[in-house]
Amino acid sequence: MTPRFLRAALLLVALSGVAGTARAQGKPLGEVLVLTTGGTIASRTIGPMTDGPSLVRGIPELAKVATIRVEEVMRVPSSQVTPADWLRLGKRVNSAFATAPALRGIVVTHGTDTMEETAFFLNLTVRDPRPVVVTGAMRGADEVSADGPANVLNGVRVAMTVEAKGHGVLVVLNEDIAAARDVWKSDNRRADTFGSPQRGYLGAADPDTVIFFRRALQSHTVASEFDIARIDSLARVEIVTDYAGFDSTVMHAAVQRRPRGIVLTSFAGGRLSAGGRAAVRIAAAANIPVVVASRVPGGRIVGSPLGDMPVVLARDLPAHKARVLLMLALTRTAERGALQQIFDRY
Ligand code: ASP
């Protein structure tokens, strides 16, 4: 069986042991679906990744919190996750909600390398207000102080919390609850890597309670205009990076690949080198929309340094998230003004 085929195989396992414990206490707990996709949370120093049901079976504490159903969607390091995988996962989340009115929420376990992209994609395409929590781990399953089990447990606790509804997709690690749109992976190694430096966390999964502090105002989930039900593939969008001494050669190469859109990573405030400005003109001549995303994490791009250059401003989205939004935006429009409105709304 090829790894790709393996990934495509859906494995549905009701964890009768876990669910049984809840029932034995006389009070059936609400149901949470755990969708597993691989990542460090499923990895060991030696040997293959743990399958989804085994991952969940290794956290018996879940039985006190919810009735768990687990389904393995794929089993890969998230550096290998593709837009086709985002679509497949998003459709599965939507179909799970559509067919299970009693389902309380969904937890997605995922590698942390591209967790920001997947979580933001789901934030824009899930069509249900019930909680979707994305979680993972920075330490492998067999490392001292592995953080995976606590993160999954807290993810399920959040998914079971009534107040978690309507916040959009949540990223829960290290007891913090972040909005998928705002979360940044900020450390290469440490367990507290997922910060929300611009806007702060939405809440916390404290040991005694799950608490929300605030609500994100940007559109998401049920207020999103993006419908992936009838979409089989997403538009190709390239990322080109400006830098000191950039000469725009890479933009020529990118344009030759005929992408539907390009994200151009700029300096602070959306400022571009002479090569970066030439790159915008190259893309414009090929009729390819360019979204400018700052390489600096704090603040927003407000336009003035770019004058009347034909670009869309990513505001405070980093390039990798701007690419996700542009791929979805291109399902609706390729017109610059309309694209800017989309970037201002999400
Ligand atoms: N290799 C991992 C991944 O799948 C890293 C992690 O999960 O922390 O992204």
Side-chain angles (χ1 to χ4, degrees), residues 303-323:
S304 49
L306 294 173
D308 56 2
M309 296 214 83
V311 295
V312 175
L313 306 175
R315 303 302 186 197
D316 59 346
L317 286 179
H320 54 287
K321 282 189 181 168
R323 175 172 172 261

Side-chain angles (χ1 to χ4, degrees), residues 232-244:
D232 294 326
S233 64
L234 291 161
R236 172 188 284 278
V237 172
E238 301 287 350
I239 297 179
V240 174
T241 303
D242 195 8
Y243 48 79

Side-chain angles (χ1 to χ4, degrees), residues 112 114-120 123 134 169-173 176-186 192-202 214 297 316-318 320-321:
T112 64
T114 62
M115 185 178 284
E116 290 154 285
E117 284 102 313
T118 299
F120 188 42
N123 191 54
V134 183
V169 172
L170 304 168
V171 172
V172 174
L173 282 95
D176 294 312
I177 305 172
R181 184 193 182 280
D182 301 331
V183 77
W184 282 70
K185 186 175 179 181
S186 60
D192 63 350
T193 182
F194 282 95
S196 190
Q198 279 293 292
R199 301 179 183 189
Y201 293 114
L202 292 181
R214 67 178 188 88
D316 59 346
L317 286 179
H320 54 287
K321 282 189 181 168

Side-chain angles (χ1 to χ4, degrees), residues 38-41 76-79 110-114 137-138 185:
T40 290
I41 193 167
V76 294
S78 71
S79 51
H110 196 285
T112 64
D113 287 343
T114 62
M138 290 300 286
K185 186 175 179 181

Side-chain angles (χ1 to χ4, degrees), residues 23 51 90 144 148 226 299 324 330:
R23 267 186 243 111
D51 62 66
V144 174
F226 306 118
V324 172
L330 287 166

